Amino acid sequence: EYKMPQVMSIDSQDKETVLSLYTKKLTGDFFYYAVPRVNPFTFLICTTKADRELLSGPINVFFGDRFVGKTVLGGKKAGDEVLFNLGADNNVKISRELVKDKAEETGFSKSTIVREIAYKMTAENTKDKAVKLKILDTIPVAKNDRVEVKDVKISPDPNEKNYQGKEGVLMWETELKPEEKKEITVEFVISYPK
């Protein structure tokens, strides 16, 4: 049973009627999120905390007066962090470019391949205000003794290595001023059997 917040009139009909039981305006912090290896877009994310228990279920997300989309919210206790994706923003750009991929065969009867790989990520803010940006990327992780990853060079250093406990995942947090560009370079050498 639910106690309705006000008196409501429901038409007599043969289909479902959706009634609003609870509406809440939330304030939060905003940042941009990018995974250029997977997607060339940056996404605006709002993070907020639940002030009371939120039940799991479908929700409609509005940003300002604009409907952004629907999502499903998992159950949250008071104080838990809640993240809302507010969509892609073309004014904060991210690109990932392979700048070096050199392979050579070495060892007895050329049985090992050694590859030097380097790539560059470029983030650009074309907005007229500063933005916070989180960038995620990965480096290979050797899972057996026949594969070796060495000479890893990352510039600038990521804010967090092994992000969220995932080995090889790197996360940078940066602030981009209006019309500012920043670059991240990642280089490594990987050797593996032919």
Side-chain angles (χ1 to χ4, degrees):
E1 289 184 23
Y2 295 95
K3 183 174 182 182
M4 302 307 286
Q6 69 264 352
V7 175
M8 295 187 178
S9 180
I10 303 172
D11 292 336
S12 178
Q13 55 187 351
D14 228 4
K15 56 184 180 179
E16 287 183 0
T17 301
V18 177
L19 303 172
S20 177
L21 295 177
Y22 178 70
T23 300
K24 176 79 177 173
K25 286 191 179 192
L26 300 172
T27 58
D29 293 321
F30 295 88
F31 67 91
Y32 287 86
Y33 183 82
V35 186
R37 182 172 184 239
V38 177
N39 196 321
F41 297 106
T42 59
F43 294 89
L44 180 60
I45 306 292
C46 177
T47 177
T48 187
K49 291 196 184 284
D51 60 350
R52 61 203 259 182
E53 184 177 0
L54 297 174
L55 299 175
S56 60
I59 59 172
N60 294 324
V61 181
F62 289 84
F63 183 50
D65 292 332
R66 184 173 59 101
F67 175 71
V68 178
K70 294 182 177 196
T71 187
V72 176
L73 181 68
K76 298 286 182 183
K77 294 181 276 195
D80 282 357
E81 183 178 59
V82 183
L83 297 172
F84 294 104
N85 181 350
L86 300 176
D89 188 333
N90 294 330
N91 294 314
V92 181
K93 302 174 190 255
I94 190 85
S95 65
R96 184 178 191 262
E97 172 189 4
L98 183 67
V99 292
K100 182 182 197 182
D101 189 356
K102 180 179 160 191
E104 75 177 82
E105 296 176 3
T106 64
F108 179 70
S109 72
K110 300 196 179 216
S111 60
T112 302
I113 296 176
V114 177
R115 284 179 70 189
E116 294 178 49
I117 298 174
Y119 54 89
K120 174 178 70 172
M121 291 175 282
T122 305
E124 180 181 8
N125 178 16
T126 60
K127 291 180 162 292
D128 58 359
K129 63 181 181 178
V131 297
K132 293 180 199 168
L133 176 63
K134 285 186 182 182
I135 302 170
L136 262 63
D137 207 87
T138 60
I139 55 171
V141 175
K143 295 290 184 183
N144 65 52
D145 58 354
R146 297 178 61 192
V147 177
E148 184 181 9
V149 179
K150 59 187 180 184
D151 299 332
V152 176
K153 296 175 192 151
I154 303 169
S155 175
D157 286 332
N159 295 73
E160 196 173 329
K161 292 181 179 178
N162 301 328
Y163 181 63
Q164 294 183 338
K166 295 178 181 147
E167 194 174 3
V169 178
L170 311 170
M171 191 272 295
W172 291 266
E173 281 185 272
T174 188
E175 184 166 316
L176 291 171
K177 295 180 179 129
E179 306 298 326
E180 182 180 19
K181 272 188 187 180
K182 286 191 179 175
E183 290 184 352
I184 298 171
T185 57
V186 177
E187 299 178 50
F188 54 87
V189 176
I190 185 167
S191 61
Y192 52 92
K194 189 173 180 182

